[in-house]
Amino acid sequence: MRILVDRTGHSRLRALGPSLAAVPAAEAVRAGIGALIGLAAAAGLALLASPELWLGVYLIAPFGATSVLIFAAPNSPLAQPWPAVLGNTLSAFVALLVCRLVADPMAAVPLSVGAAIIAMALCRATHPPGGAVAMTVAIGADKIAPLGLGFALMPVAAGTVLLVVIATAYAHATGRRYPFRQFGEVNPSGTTDPAPPERLGLSEDELAAILVRYNQALNLGVEDLARLIAAAEMQAASHRTNAQVAGDIMSRDLVTVAPDTSMLDIAALFSRHGFTSLPVAEPDGRYLGVIFQLHLIARAHARFRPDGRLSRSGHDLRAADVMGERLPTATPDTPIAALLPKLASSDTDAVPVLDGDRIVGIVTRTDLIAALARESLRRDD
């Protein structure tokens, strides 16, 4: 007997569960602390503006919703400065006008929110807390209406600008990006070409059309879409590689330098061996960092004054002063596919291979290209 299983109910139940990917605890704490700082500053501004009406009138509840977006979802198009500031301000202004025309709260509340949504959409400034701003104004019209249309500027616009400024500084200080990336902005190399991993051959208009086609324009920025497509392509490429690991292709006969090696000796090693990178390690092999030629060039350039003369600073620089420490690393068992995104960055052309805290090898871009070329030839055969 064949038993038919109805999976429809199960699918519907799953749809009620979490739809977001898991958020790391450190990121949750980072966002929470940022919101705490931002709202504390907004409370201070409200208290200065009106000691009598600061709570509930000048410190409005929608600031909390704005904080969730700009601190916890800084890459969302809905969280960017334009929709945050203009969306909140415009919603307050629209709601104040509605309340002047409609006295009954039962009608004023939905009319205010609906009109705010329309205004935000037309101005490309959709910001969900804007609906809460409009509702706050309509519900508290007896206290807010006497403040006039200036309420849209103070506290709404001023408070939102303060939150955005704090979110920008906080993101920079904690290693995040806010506002989000713009398509075609200057890359780490100082040019407007996309970073190597993000060169898709798709224009900004084509990427924007994809977002519109799938109704995702409010959920994702064009630049972030490009980065996600590139990451997906690289991940897909990794499935087409054989099961090689870093230990199969790494260089084992390493030339390393001690942390107290002088810049002159480091430059001599680069010249003698033709390397583009040199690992820094203790005599017992404990890994400390990597020096890339770019590090050496940057340090050498910094030693010269604007008049072209050599400055005194930098004469006693050692390897430990120049090396990069927060660089991607691998183990001998790391699949070479996992090395693709690590070596695609413009500022990383070698990945140290560690066994515990000791360096046992290094994989350069040349090593990886050679391995991929050999695999391609084998597939062609």
Side-chain angles (χ1 to χ4, degrees), residues 1-97:
M1 179 183 293
R2 186 179 180 185
I3 300 176
L4 299 177
V5 179
D6 183 8
R7 301 182 183 276
T8 305
H10 177 64
S11 297
R12 288 174 178 171
L13 288 175
R14 285 188 64 188
L16 299 177
S19 58
L20 297 175
V23 178
E27 174 59 18
V29 171
R30 188 205 69 83
I33 292 174
L36 186 154
I37 296 170
L39 289 174
L45 177 66
L47 189 59
L48 287 173
S50 178
E52 298 82 15
L53 299 175
W54 76 276
L55 189 60
V57 176
Y58 277 76
L59 183 63
I60 55 174
F63 284 163
T66 293
S67 296
V68 172
L69 278 173
I70 65 178
F71 288 104
N75 289 336
S76 169
L78 304 175
Q80 302 314 300
W82 174 267
V85 176
L86 185 63
N88 280 350
T89 306
L90 194 60
S91 296
F93 185 78
V94 167
L96 287 164
L97 290 179

Side-chain angles (χ1 to χ4, degrees), residues 15 25 36 51 71 78 86 100 103 111 152 180 189 207 229 233 253 267 319:
L36 186 154
F71 288 104
L78 304 175
L86 185 63
R100 286 190 174 187
L111 281 173
F180 65 10
S189 299
L207 291 166
I229 292 175
E233 286 184 344
D253 185 15

Side-chain angles (χ1 to χ4, degrees), residues 272-294:
R272 184 186 313 154
H273 295 283
F275 295 150
T276 59
S277 59
L278 280 171
V280 183
E282 296 284 9
D284 61 359
R286 185 165 60 88
Y287 168 76
L288 298 176
V290 177
I291 298 174
F292 295 117
Q293 282 189 1
L294 287 175

Side-chain angles (χ1 to χ4, degrees), residues 45-348:
L45 177 66
L47 189 59
L48 287 173
S50 178
E52 298 82 15
L53 299 175
W54 76 276
L55 189 60
V57 176
Y58 277 76
L59 183 63
I60 55 174
F63 284 163
T66 293
S67 296
V68 172
L69 278 173
I70 65 178
F71 288 104
N75 289 336
S76 169
L78 304 175
Q80 302 314 300
W82 174 267
V85 176
L86 185 63
N88 280 350
T89 306
L90 194 60
S91 296
F93 185 78
V94 167
L96 287 164
L97 290 179
V98 169
C99 289
R100 286 190 174 187
L101 298 174
V102 180
D104 183 3
M106 290 292 292
V109 170
L111 281 173
S112 295
V113 176
I117 291 173
I118 294 172
M120 287 189 291
L122 292 176
C123 294
R124 299 175 63 184
T126 299
H127 185 61
V133 170
M135 192 168 182
T136 297
V137 171
I139 291 175
D142 56 333
K143 291 183 178 179
I144 294 174
L147 300 175
L149 297 178
F151 180 82
L153 299 178
M154 180 65 195
V156 177
T160 308
V161 167
L162 180 63
L163 288 172
V164 165
V165 169
I166 292 173
T168 302
Y170 185 73
H172 179 75
T174 56
R176 291 298 302 272
R177 178 68 179 264
Y178 181 81
F180 65 10
R181 295 169 177 83
Q182 296 294 328
F183 193 86
E185 69 179 33
V186 175
N187 62 33
S189 299
T191 66
T192 56
D193 287 325
E198 300 171 19
R199 293 175 186 171
L200 304 175
L202 296 174
S203 68
E204 182 177 6
D205 289 341
E206 288 172 318
L207 291 166
I210 292 173
L211 291 174
V212 172
R213 187 186 315 156
Y214 290 96
N215 294 321
Q216 295 299 312
L218 294 180
N219 299 323
L220 200 62
V222 170
E223 171 63 16
D224 282 328
L225 175 62
R227 295 171 65 225
L228 288 175
I229 292 175
E233 286 184 344
M234 194 161 297
Q235 188 67 33
S238 72
H239 291 284
R240 296 192 288 270
T241 62
N242 289 332
Q244 282 185 290
V245 294
D248 298 330
I249 66 171
M250 69 183 185
S251 301
R252 298 174 183 270
D253 185 15
L254 300 177
V255 175
T256 64
V257 296
D260 60 350
T261 304
S262 70
M263 287 185 67
L264 189 61
D265 290 337
I266 294 169
L269 286 172
F270 275 128
S271 177
R272 184 186 313 154
H273 295 283
F275 295 150
T276 59
S277 59
L278 280 171
V280 183
E282 296 284 9
D284 61 359
R286 185 165 60 88
Y287 168 76
L288 298 176
V290 177
I291 298 174
F292 295 117
Q293 282 189 1
L294 287 175
H295 295 159
L296 200 65
I297 293 170
R299 285 291 189 174
H301 181 266
R303 292 173 60 191
F304 287 89
R305 299 194 310 222
D307 60 6
R309 297 175 62 188
L310 189 64
S311 66
R312 289 185 175 274
S313 61
H315 282 285
D316 56 351
L317 286 177
R318 300 295 183 216
D321 302 315
V322 182
M323 68 183 184
E325 299 176 77
R326 297 182 180 179
L327 299 171
T329 61
T331 68
D333 297 327
T334 299
I336 65 169
L339 300 176
L340 283 169
K342 298 177 186 290
L343 288 169
S345 172
S346 61
D347 57 357
T348 303

